[in-house]
Amino acid sequence: MVETVWKATSKPSPLCTFLLLIILCILGFYSLHYPHSTVINPNAQNALRFRHIFLSSASNYTIASYLRILTLHPHLAGTAPSLAIVNYVVAQFKSLHLQTHTTQYKTLLSYPTHSSLSAHFTNGTVHDLSLSDSSDDVAVVRPYHAYSPSGTAFAKAVFVNYGRDVDFQAIKELNVSVKGCIVIARRGDLPRGIVVQKAEENGAVAVLIYTEGEEVKGFERGTVMSGVGDPLSPGWAAVDDGESLELEDARVLKRFPKIPSMPLSVRAAQLILNSLGGAPPPEKWRVDLRGVGPGPTILNFTYQGEKKVGTIHNVFAIIRGSEEPDRYVLLGNHRDAWTYGAVDPNSGTAALLDIARRYALMMRLGWQPRRTIILCSWDAEEFGMIGSTEWVEQNLVNLGSKAVAYLNVDCAVQGPGFFVGATPQLDSLLLEVKDPDSEGSTVYEKWAATNAGTNIQRLSGVDSDFAPFVQHAGVPSIDIYYGRDFPVYHTAFDSYEWMTNNGDPLFHRHVAVAGIWGLVALHLADDSILPFNYLSYAEQLQRYKVFLSNLLGEDKAKVSLHPLTTSIQELVSAAKEAEDEAKILRQQETTGDSVVLKNRALNDRLILAERGFLDVDGLQGRQWFKHLIYGPPGDHESKLDFFPGIADAISQSARMSRKESQAAIQHEIWRVSRAIQRAARALKGELT
């Protein structure tokens, strides 16, 4: 199968492959090694030699082979085919002689048992709509929304655009009500569960969500559960014989919508939408419809599902550090998929396995990292980051004191263009990386050429496995991927064939992701001084303060941002001192005990500073989310994608008096300011 791909896409010559590797090698990673020092000692030269070995051992063919095997069958979490993939990953790690183990958790999962949908038109005809996008593989799970309640509805259809508050307000202004109706929404930025929740709040009885686009086909499966992690063990790990809430517990039930929902294909959606009457849609919706409804078309919708406890498996391969074995650099990717998962997530799994192969080769040649590297293969991410969340909760104390950084890759390759998200102290490291899609230019230069600036995204969302590391444990993190999105997301068409025909026929982007991912990890694992720069963090916080000031408008007169100003200045001072100290230590050629201890002390402060942004009380009403700089706001339509506690206070201001609102906002500003001060003092390493 793989060999056929190479014939169809013209196999690159050995010279081209060699040049690609040389480009990747020279593409700035030399400057990444001790970027602040002109001193190259023997240890640095040895590390550079092994990084060359890492790059030169890349193999498009090997990654393609991994992906082909990973995607032979659908492997939804908690199913027998999923266990087969667990065993495959374990076998690959063990064949490389890596220390390998698994952890198991008993968690609440959700599966469909029956669904049907028919449209009753005014001319008396009834159209049974297909609810399957795979006729040739019975192992593909039927389209559904995980954790949707079972239910039946016979009601008029109404279109609500993206299902946002502004959309419901727009149709209210047209004297259109969704009460008692089945809502149809197109997929936008709002999480599915929030779309269902807003429809429920407006009186709808069911929700159908479709993804639009010329190339889109199939049904986009997904979860509608709120929050992350196992709903039966909120805040603690779902281990065997451990504490578990009952399904009827109020804390569990609040995680799920109260009305049923399902994904809809774009073809079925258009059939229904084209039959609607009523008021025409608002011009700003930019949709070609005669009316938004309700009706006159009536939908007969049924969904039956089951929630049941199942076993999930995380897999780990560990490469022990030679000098600091108690400091951990973690590389993670989830393994479970709604269907075949060629893009999501196994393009990342294939890259992770190839990194393991290359690290194992380096070990055979004498390499051992300074710090411990842990390769993590998570389960049940698609249900709500369950595997990674349970593990973080179980290992919270050790991660809090020992984790250097977490490097996440989910959909490694979706298409062209390199994208990255990170906590800001890792910006400087990332900006040195060259773009393998563009010879001779850095990622920074590529971004600048498109007038997008550096455009490193921040990790406020809960859309991949970095969420528990950043937002619950305060671990510096990175998220890497190629391609903004892809038309077969969460459908039965996310297959090996789609990848070889569309996503990455020559697998060169897979090689690029593995190269960047693995090399960043090598710097974090091997550099004597960690490449963290908190001046980037302080600059980012300053921008946030300016944006917040503009957003507050009239409230600015009664709400003081002075606490933020003072705390950011304190962080700037601490960051400058840490940077100066790092420069001095990098220039010292000796490796005596005194220097080692000084390096260790500085590195510990660089690691712990991120933990300072955590607050033990967490976000109001959502205590699990403890990071006060990055986390999801309660109102997903908030204009702030940072300072989630402040964002919550602003969004709730409409339900308070002006004085109460200003007091609530001021309190959250103080909380953020204290968090920044904690980070600054951790970076200084001094007691007050």
Side-chain angles (χ1 to χ4, degrees):
M1 186 75 174
V2 178
E3 293 172 349
T4 303
V5 171
W6 256 253
K7 290 177 183 178
T9 55
S10 75
K11 182 176 180 179
S13 69
L15 177 61
C16 290
T17 303
F18 176 77
L19 288 174
L20 173 63
L21 296 173
I22 293 300
I23 290 167
L24 276 170
C25 178
I26 300 174
L27 285 176
F29 286 112
Y30 182 90
S31 62
L32 262 175
H33 189 78
Y34 294 109
H36 304 277
S37 174
T38 58
V39 177
I40 301 295
N41 60 41
N43 288 336
Q45 291 176 327
N46 195 46
L48 190 59
R49 179 173 71 89
F50 279 115
R51 289 166 197 178
H52 290 170
I53 292 171
F54 176 81
L55 284 171
S56 64
S57 58
S59 170
N60 311 52
Y61 181 88
T62 302
I63 295 182
S65 299
Y66 288 140
L67 187 64
R68 183 182 62 82
I69 295 171
L70 289 164
T71 57
L72 285 175
H73 305 287
H75 44 283
L76 185 62
T79 65
S82 179
L83 186 58
I85 299 298
V86 172
N87 294 334
Y88 174 72
V89 172
V90 169
Q92 290 302 308
F93 285 156
K94 287 187 174 180
S95 72
L96 298 169
H97 305 290
L98 299 178
Q99 180 184 336
T100 305
H101 72 275
T102 63
T103 59
Q104 299 181 5
Y105 301 101
K106 297 284 190 180
T107 67
L108 187 69
L109 303 175
S110 168
Y111 305 99
T113 57
H114 172 73
S115 58
S116 64
L117 177 66
S118 60
H120 297 245
F121 299 110
T122 53
N123 61 6
T125 61
V126 177
H127 194 119
D128 290 322
L129 299 171
S130 171
L131 296 179
S132 174
D133 53 7
S134 177
S135 59
D136 57 350
D137 192 343
V138 295
V140 174
V141 70
R142 292 175 63 83
Y144 80 115
H145 285 158
Y147 304 107
S148 168
S150 299
T152 298
F154 186 78
K156 290 182 177 180
V158 60
F159 178 63
V160 296
N161 201 24
Y162 297 109
R164 304 166 299 182
D165 287 333
V166 65
D167 296 323
F168 282 105
Q169 181 58 39
I171 62 173
K172 283 179 182 177
E173 292 173 1
L174 298 174
N175 294 319
V176 172
S177 171
V178 304
K179 188 173 182 179
C181 295
I182 296 176
V183 155
I184 299 178
R186 52 180 172 175
R187 191 85 164 89
D189 293 332
L190 284 187
R192 298 173 201 85
I194 300 300
V195 174
V196 179
Q197 175 189 321
K198 291 181 181 296
E200 175 191 322
E201 291 170 353
N202 282 273
V205 294
V207 180
L208 302 173
I209 303 176
Y210 73 97
T211 303
E212 61 183 351
E214 291 182 5
E215 298 181 3
V216 171
K217 56 182 179 177
F219 296 74
E220 184 187 302
R221 297 153 181 82
T223 184
V224 290
M225 180 179 71
S226 65
V228 299
D230 175 38
L232 301 183
S233 58
W236 64 89
V239 296
D240 283 342
D241 301 323
E243 181 183 6
S244 182
L245 302 180
E246 296 294 329
L247 186 57
E248 294 76 21
D249 190 291
R251 288 170 289 180
V252 178
L253 293 177
K254 74 176 184 180
R255 300 278 298 272
F256 311 135
K258 295 181 176 62
I259 61 174
S261 65
M262 261 197 65
L264 195 62
S265 69
V266 65
R267 182 177 178 181
Q270 288 300 327
L271 180 68
I272 297 168
L273 295 178
N274 289 337
S275 70
L276 295 182
E283 282 188 22
K284 57 187 176 183
W285 286 11
R286 296 181 181 179
V287 61
D288 184 20
L289 292 179
R290 184 164 52 94
V292 298
T297 299
I298 296 176
L299 301 179
N300 190 0
F301 167 57
T302 296
Y303 171 74
Q304 296 294 324
E306 60 176 348
K307 300 182 183 73
K308 62 181 182 181
V309 173
T311 301
I312 64 171
H313 307 77
N314 295 332
V315 183
F316 303 93
I318 300 171
I319 304 173
R320 293 287 176 189
S322 59
E323 298 179 37
E324 300 180 64
D326 59 337
R327 293 295 180 263
Y328 309 135
V329 176
L330 304 110
L331 292 77
N333 159 263
H334 79 92
R335 185 186 60 253
D336 64 299
W338 290 111
T339 63
Y340 301 99
V343 175
D344 185 7
N346 297 130
S347 58
T349 310
L352 186 70
L353 291 176
D354 197 58
I355 288 173
R357 179 188 64 81
R358 292 196 251 173
Y359 283 175
L361 171 63
M362 292 161 58
M363 292 170 68
R364 291 196 297 272
L365 296 174
W367 169 77
Q368 188 177 5
R370 173 192 296 267
R371 304 178 187 92
T372 295
I373 293 175
I374 304 177
L375 308 179
C376 314
S377 175
W378 309 117
D379 203 353
E381 186 271 355
E382 296 293 9
F383 287 88
M385 278 63 71
I386 293 180
S388 57
T389 297
E390 300 310 299
W391 189 79
V392 167
E393 290 172 345
Q394 188 176 23
N395 295 279
L396 191 59
V397 173
N398 274 327
L399 289 171
S401 60
K402 300 175 181 178
V404 173
Y406 173 68
L407 313 179
N408 187 70
V409 168
D410 193 323
C411 303
V413 179
Q414 305 175 68
F418 179 67
F419 297 90
V420 62
T423 47
Q425 74 273 69
L426 293 167
D427 287 359
S428 297
L429 174 62
L430 288 167
L431 291 180
E432 297 291 337
V433 177
K434 299 286 184 171
D435 187 347
D437 259 2
S438 302
E439 288 190 23
S441 65
T442 65
V443 172
Y444 173 82
E445 290 166 345
K446 181 78 171 286
W447 282 330
T450 59
N451 299 317
T454 57
N455 197 32
I456 293 178
Q457 301 162 46
R458 299 307 172 198
L459 304 179
S460 291
V462 287
D463 49 355
S464 195
D465 290 301
F466 58 77
F469 286 92
V470 175
Q471 299 160 14
H472 191 68
V475 176
S477 297
I478 289 174
D479 186 44
I480 298 169
Y481 55 101
Y482 258 81
R484 176 69 71 180
D485 49 37
F486 61 109
V488 295
Y489 176 66
H490 286 187
T491 74
F493 302 101
D494 182 10
S495 64
Y496 183 79
E497 288 71 25
W498 186 89
M499 181 63 76
T500 57
N501 290 326
N502 301 280
D504 193 15
L506 294 179
F507 284 81
H508 74 284
R509 292 184 184 124
H510 283 76
V511 170
V513 167
I516 295 169
W517 194 10
L519 279 164
V520 169
L522 289 178
H523 279 278
L524 292 167
D526 281 339
D527 285 4
S528 60
I529 303 296
L530 292 173
F532 288 6
N533 183 351
Y534 279 90
L535 286 171
S536 295
Y537 225 125
E539 291 169 3
Q540 190 75 72
L541 292 171
Q542 180 62 30
R543 293 192 198 104
Y544 294 162
K545 191 198 77 169
V546 171
F547 187 92
L548 178 62
S549 176
N550 295 333
L551 183 65
L552 287 173
E554 296 179 3
D555 286 327
K556 194 162 44 177
K558 296 292 184 179
V559 174
S560 173
L561 295 181
H562 181 69
L564 274 180
T565 301
T566 302
S567 62
I568 293 170
Q569 288 173 346
E570 190 171 340
L571 182 60
V572 169
S573 175
K576 286 180 178 177
E577 289 181 18
E579 190 70 7
D580 291 342
E581 183 179 350
K583 286 179 181 178
I584 293 171
L585 289 172
R586 288 190 182 104
Q587 290 169 356
Q588 295 185 7
E589 297 184 61
T590 60
T591 57
D593 291 343
S594 174
V595 173
V596 170
L597 288 174
K598 288 179 180 178
N599 287 353
R600 172 86 168 198
L602 174 58
N603 286 336
D604 284 352
R605 283 151 41 207
L606 291 169
I607 292 170
L608 291 173
E610 183 70 36
R611 318 294 196 258
F613 298 119
L614 303 178
D615 188 285
V616 66
D617 293 329
L619 300 181
Q620 197 171 66
R622 298 175 295 137
Q623 186 181 12
W624 187 90
F625 295 98
K626 298 187 180 300
H627 206 289
L628 296 190
I629 311 300
Y630 297 116
D635 179 1
H636 289 269
E637 298 186 47
S638 170
K639 295 179 180 179
L640 294 180
D641 57 2
F642 49 86
F643 298 162
I646 298 176
D648 288 351
I650 292 173
S651 67
Q652 294 164 7
S653 61
R655 296 187 285 274
M656 304 178 183
S657 69
R658 188 76 173 272
K659 186 175 182 180
E660 289 173 330
S661 167
Q662 291 168 346
I665 295 170
Q666 187 68 69
H667 173 64
E668 292 297 333
I669 289 173
W670 274 113
R671 290 184 74 203
V672 172
S673 302
R674 289 191 289 269
I676 297 171
Q677 287 179 328
R678 286 194 296 272
R681 288 165 188 170
L683 194 55
K684 280 180 174 287
E686 298 173 357
L687 300 174
T688 56

